[in-house]
Structures are given as structure tokens and as C-alpha cells.
Amino acid sequence: MLEVDGGTPLSGTVRVRGAKNLVSKAMVASLLGSSPSVLRGVPRIRDVEVVTGLLEVHGVRVESQPDGDSPDGQLVMDPSNVEQGSIVDIDAHAGASRIPILFCGPLLHRLGKAFIPDLGGCRIGDRPIDFHLDVLRQFGATVDKTPGGIQLEARQRLQGTQVELPYPSVGATEQVLLTAVTAEGVTELKNAAIEPEIMDLVAILQKMGAIISVDTDRCFRILGVDELTGYTHRALPDRIEAASWASAALATGGEVFVAGAHQPDMITFLNVFRQIGGTFDVTETGIRFSHPGGDLSSLPLETDVHPGFMTDWQQPLVVALTQATGLSIIHETVYENRFGFTDAINRMGGTIQLYRECLGGTPCRFGRKNFKHSAVISGPTKLRGADIEVPDLRGGFSHLIAALAAEGTSRVSGIGIINRGYEDFLDKLAALGAKVQMA
């Protein structure tokens, strides 16, 4: 339980390291190498601990090391003795993580078999694994569903195939890349996700010896190779965490310098931040985000796949928009249930109404399926402290921002979820002058 005495503008410096959405996938990619891999800029977050445990269960030796004089840490992963982990150990280490599904392609190549326990994850929408399994079948794997999970087997080398995604899913794109790079022949992936984290994974695989071409129409062509080596790579900075601290600065009327924030990956966010009324200053070492005083402006906003406005940026920004003058309209097109976190914001004094209709420029795939995927935010409203339970990773950090912006004391439970993607967030809050303490 975290007690937050709100109403104090955040001020100071925080540092972001490697992106959560890249680091875990880069760690999985190390399974494909014939020699050790070195990943730099690794954050101390729960997801890294989960993947480390899963790698070690499968015989990979993982060593955490300091990265020279840099404040960043690095992992050295040696896959020389990859072996099949026990079902009990895999299940114990996986917990609620969905990352084990991405182990399948590399393990099928290395061992000819893989196991996936029942998968969890944040409660933000339907993220079925059936498509992952169908893709693996296309490569030639056999799939056997059991009460405790899913057994996969490759009786011969996996074969290149043609895949067209119905939606440019990040997870499905990662699955195809990690499986295709050592499959025999050519794999063509159409309508692929092209997020910066995906392109950084492509860069890692290319360093390992993969042959991947990227066309302008979201099409990847992967020519399978017989063997990959290890890699040395510094993960790109976490653009989601950077935007979260930016939103916190805006919501609390403060100023936060985010060391390590990378402008090219955040251009869409920065445009919206400026439209609302926030100011930012890009330097060689990071970005300074500020509330300049005066009124914030409402706006219409639609989430989308890259290069659109990222869905993970939406939740923290919604809290800041409760302090903007007028009506802001948010149309969520990526996850159908991403607005569940707004119930707590409304209890704190926000005015957020949810709608089933597509309140955006174009109808989306959730439009006639009874999902409340659009929101209208009326502002500005004064937020008040309340008892809050963290629902998911990004929603949880958004609740934390609301507590920091609110008058009075909030008690936030379930904050362990936030550790999945925000490194040392309590220490960072203290460094920014936030009045927080464990109860």
C-alpha cells in the first residue's frame, strides 16, 4: 500500500533506460545464438526478472554486469547449453506474463519442442494466442493443447511461409520474426507492426546474422539462415516511461527532465503534448517536460499503431486532460477495454464518460462490438485523494499520476504491478519531490 499526499508539482530529473517492450524480446532472441549475447541499458523491472528466470530454466546462463562507467546495467546471456525446462518450473517463473509464447520459435529451432503454460497479462483487452499458434503451425510445428498449457513440437526444420496479419499486432510480428530467421526458405510477413521496438529487434537479429528486408508497405521478407551468433546491443530508450513522466509533469503543474528520452521515437507524443499546452526542450541527453502555467487545452485524439499515437501513451495523458479546459475526445483503436482505469479517476473528481461508438475520424474494428472504447473528458476538474487499486501496468501508473495531482491523501494498493515496467519508480518519485510513503 502506498500513501500519496498530492498537490505538489513534480520537479527534478529521472532517467529512462532500455524499453520494456524491447528488452524482454531481445533477451528471448539470445536463445537463437550460437554464442553469448550482451544487452546493454537493461532496466531493473519485474519483466526482466521473469525472462531471466525463464531463460535460466531453459539452460541459458544469465549474468548481470555493470556497463563500464555508464549508469546502465547489462546482461550477458550464454545459450550454449539450452535444454527443455520442466513444466513446473516454466509455470512458476512465467506467472501472469505472456512472454513464454515468444520462446516457442527459438526453442523449436534449438530443441524441436516447447511448452507454454496458461498465459496471463494485463486486463486491457482480448489478446488471444490462437493466432500465434496458427502461425507456428504454418511454419510446420504441431500443437497439442493440454489442461496445463500447450505442447509444441517440430519433427523437422521449420519452413518459411507467408503470413498476412489481419491487424499489425506487435506480438504477432515478434513471433514471426523470432521464428522465421532460422526457418528454411523465405518468409513473407504482410501488414506487420513497425513500432520502434520492432525495428530495434530487427536490428538485433541482423547483428546475429539474420537477413530481413523491410518494405515501405509494412511487409517484411525474411530469408532463413542456418545459424545465428550472439549480439552486442544497447536497447533503445523506453518511450512509454518517458511519456508517463511527461504526463505526470503536466498533470501536477511541474517540470521533469527525462534523461535518456529520445525525440525521434516520441514525435507524435510531443506534438500532442504541445497542442495541450505543455512545453518541452530537447537536449542531447534527454527531454525537459514542463507545465508553463495558464490553462491547458482540450483536444480530440485517436490511438493507432505506429507512427500513430501509441495506446500506452493514452492512459497517463488522460489524467492530464482532466485539467484541460473544454471537452477532450479519445478514441481507442488498439485495445478494446483500455478505459477501465477511468472509474477511479471519476471517483477522484474527474468527469470522464465512456461510449461504445467510434468518436474518431474513422470507424475502427471495435465499433459495433459493444466495447466502450471512446471517452469524453470534461475539464478542468479538481481531483481529490481516494483509495485506489491498481488494475494494470499503464492504468496503475495513471492512477499514481492522479494521486500526485489530487488534493489530499490517496492510498494506492497493488503497486507491485507498476514494477513490471517502471524501474525504481518510488525512488524516482522521491527524487521529484513527491510526498509518498509505504503504509
Side-chain angles (χ1 to χ4, degrees):
M1 179 81 69
L2 184 69
E3 284 191 358
V4 181
D5 290 328
T8 301
L10 298 185
S11 179
T13 297
V14 296
R15 172 175 293 278
V16 296
R17 296 205 280 177
K20 165 190 174 291
N21 287 353
L22 177 275
V23 166
S24 56
K25 321 307 165 52
M27 293 173 68
V28 174
S30 70
L31 277 167
L32 292 162
S34 60
S35 55
S37 292
V38 179
L39 181 61
R40 294 178 173 148
V42 179
R44 295 182 296 272
I45 56 175
R46 175 60 182 157
D47 272 21
V48 169
E49 294 175 4
V50 169
V51 182
T52 295
L54 288 169
L55 287 173
E56 290 176 339
V57 162
H58 288 94
V60 178
R61 186 161 58 88
V62 182
E63 183 182 358
S64 179
Q65 300 177 345
D67 185 7
D69 295 329
S70 168
D72 296 341
Q74 68 178 24
L75 290 179
V76 179
M77 296 157 286
D78 186 350
S80 301
N81 299 305
V82 173
E83 60 186 9
Q84 179 61 46
S86 75
I87 292 176
V88 172
D89 287 342
I90 295 171
D91 204 25
H93 283 279
S97 171
R98 292 172 178 264
I99 197 69
I101 188 68
L102 295 178
F103 274 67
C104 293
L107 287 176
L108 288 170
H109 285 301
R110 293 294 301 267
L111 303 174
K113 56 186 176 180
F115 171 77
I116 313 169
D118 290 330
L119 298 176
C122 290
R123 302 188 298 272
I124 57 174
D126 186 24
R127 295 195 280 187
I129 67 167
D130 286 349
F131 188 81
H132 288 263
L133 301 179
D134 289 341
V135 165
L136 291 165
R137 288 189 186 98
Q138 280 186 243
F139 280 103
T142 60
V143 179
D144 181 23
K145 296 186 179 182
T146 69
I150 301 168
Q151 294 277 2
L152 299 98
E153 186 175 356
R155 297 186 176 93
Q156 59 183 7
R157 184 179 178 183
L158 298 181
Q159 301 293 302
T161 186
Q162 290 193 341
V163 180
E164 182 166 3
L165 301 182
Y167 182 80
S169 159
V170 168
T173 299
E174 292 164 341
Q175 181 71 260
V176 173
L177 288 170
L178 290 168
T179 306
V181 285
T182 51
E184 186 174 11
V186 175
T187 297
E188 186 175 80
L189 173 61
K190 295 182 178 179
N191 201 28
I194 55 171
E195 271 67 8
E197 295 80 8
I198 291 286
M199 301 313 297
D200 212 30
L201 179 60
V202 169
I204 287 171
L205 293 170
Q206 187 180 60
K207 287 181 176 181
M208 299 177 75
I211 302 173
I212 305 170
S213 63
V214 184
D215 295 336
T216 57
D217 58 352
R218 293 185 175 271
C219 181
F220 290 174
R221 288 178 58 84
I222 306 107
L223 175 61
V225 297
D226 293 334
E227 184 180 43
L228 297 175
T229 62
Y231 64 81
T232 298
H233 188 80
R234 180 172 296 280
L236 84 169
D238 197 314
R239 61 193 177 120
I240 304 174
E241 184 181 358
S244 297
W245 290 116
S247 296
L250 200 58
T252 63
E255 177 177 291
V256 176
F257 180 72
V258 183
H262 190 221
Q263 180 190 13
D265 299 332
M266 298 184 68
I267 285 176
T268 303
F269 176 85
L270 294 174
N271 286 336
V272 171
F273 191 83
R274 180 170 282 164
Q275 284 179 269
I276 294 170
T279 59
F280 60 88
D281 178 35
V282 179
T283 74
E284 291 184 358
T285 59
I287 305 176
R288 186 177 306 279
F289 295 95
S290 308
H291 188 310
D295 294 338
L296 299 179
S297 300
S298 56
L299 82 173
L301 183 64
E302 194 165 58
T303 66
D304 205 347
V305 297
H306 188 78
F309 192 89
M310 191 181 194
T311 180
D312 290 306
W313 292 334
Q314 173 258 110
Q315 290 165 294
L317 195 67
V318 161
V319 180
L321 287 172
T322 65
Q323 305 308 300
T325 301
L327 296 178
S328 293
I329 301 172
I330 312 293
H331 181 207
E332 171 62 52
T333 74
V334 180
Y335 290 127
E336 64 270 32
N337 290 324
R338 195 128 219 187
F339 286 121
F341 78 103
T342 60
D343 289 343
I345 308 301
N346 283 339
R347 285 194 287 106
M348 298 177 74
T351 304
I352 305 172
Q353 295 176 298
L354 304 183
Y355 295 88
R356 293 180 174 85
E357 293 77 16
C358 294
L359 301 183
T362 55
C364 77
R365 58 202 174 116
F366 307 136
R368 297 183 180 180
K369 296 183 179 179
N370 213 31
F371 297 117
K372 291 185 176 181
H373 67 293
S374 292
V376 176
I377 306 158
S378 303
T381 56
K382 185 174 292 186
L383 300 181
R384 302 177 299 273
D387 290 347
I388 311 167
E389 184 174 358
V390 168
D392 59 72
L393 175 59
R394 306 304 172 189
F397 197 87
S398 303
H399 286 171
L400 195 56
I401 293 174
L404 293 165
E407 292 184 355
T409 300
S410 297
R411 291 166 59 87
V412 186
S413 59
I415 63 167
I417 295 175
I418 299 176
N419 287 318
R420 281 191 50 216
Y422 293 88
E423 178 187 46
D424 300 335
F425 74 94
L426 291 178
D427 290 339
K428 291 178 180 179
L429 286 172
L432 295 174
K435 298 176 181 178
V436 298
Q437 63 178 359
M438 296 299 297

